[in-house]
Amino acid sequence: MHVRSFQLGDTSLVTSLLQDVLSETCYEETMEAFARQLSWDTELVLVAQEESEIVGMIIGTIDNNNGYYYRIAVATEYQRKGIGKALIEAMKMRFLHRNVNKIMVTVDVHNEVVLPVYESAGYSTSDFSRAAHRLSIVKKVSV
């Protein structure tokens, strides 16, 4: 398994992975944030590749000089094999190279179930961002 930066040729494989792993609502929100992040900074979108297959991906972003893990997805048959931790660690290295002030895990209704993966990677509840503040990659809702 190899973790690397997202490439344009990965689009259909990543899209399929996200459709398979995420709920419909989560998928729609993630695709919007994914597209927005790619337009700003492709180095903060990483994929895990096993031979020619994309088996995982992670989206990170930097907002107000803080690094945020936004969404992580690992193909069902590859879960619990260390791929999530490898993606988290690779993104952490990207954040550290950017000299962010703090690294946080964005928590929303869709990723509560993966918080144990972040905890096993060394993050604690004090690193989880549940604030009402929306990341710039997430569409702001008009009222």
Side-chain angles (χ1 to χ4, degrees):
M1 191 266 310
H2 172 67
V3 175
R4 61 171 175 78
S5 295
F6 173 86
Q7 298 168 358
L8 191 56
D10 299 327
T11 303
S12 64
L13 294 172
V14 167
T15 300
S16 293
L17 168 71
L18 294 174
Q19 283 178 319
D20 290 344
V21 175
L22 305 178
S23 70
E24 185 177 333
T25 305
C26 182
Y27 171 79
E28 290 170 10
E29 289 176 18
T30 300
M31 289 306 291
E32 288 179 23
F34 175 53
R36 200 170 277 116
Q37 185 59 39
L38 286 177
S39 73
W40 292 331
D41 190 345
T42 59
E43 290 299 307
L44 294 178
V45 178
L46 304 177
V47 296
Q49 184 174 352
E50 183 73 43
E51 295 180 21
S52 62
E53 189 177 359
I54 301 294
V55 297
M57 67 92 64
I58 190 166
I59 302 169
T61 194
I62 297 174
D63 199 32
N64 295 321
N65 207 36
N66 290 322
Y68 291 89
Y69 298 103
Y70 172 69
R71 187 77 70 226
I72 188 170
V74 175
T76 306
E77 60 272 21
Y78 289 91
Q79 292 176 5
R80 299 187 184 345
K81 297 183 184 214
I83 293 171
K85 282 186 194 176
L87 287 163
I88 290 166
E89 186 60 29
M91 185 62 69
K92 177 183 176 182
M93 295 288 89
R94 300 277 170 111
F95 288 147
L96 294 176
H97 283 103
R98 303 281 184 96
N99 297 315
V100 298
N101 291 332
K102 187 170 184 168
I103 300 174
M104 303 288 290
V105 179
T106 305
V107 179
D108 62 20
V109 67
H110 305 298
N111 67 0
E112 288 277 349
V113 296
V114 298
L115 294 183
V117 177
Y118 289 101
E119 289 171 337
S120 70
Y123 292 89
S124 65
T125 55
S126 64
D127 301 312
F128 298 159
S129 174
R130 290 183 168 91
H133 159 254
R134 304 273 292 179
L135 294 176
S136 58
I137 64 167
V138 180
K139 184 178 179 181
K140 292 183 172 71
V141 179
S142 304
V143 189

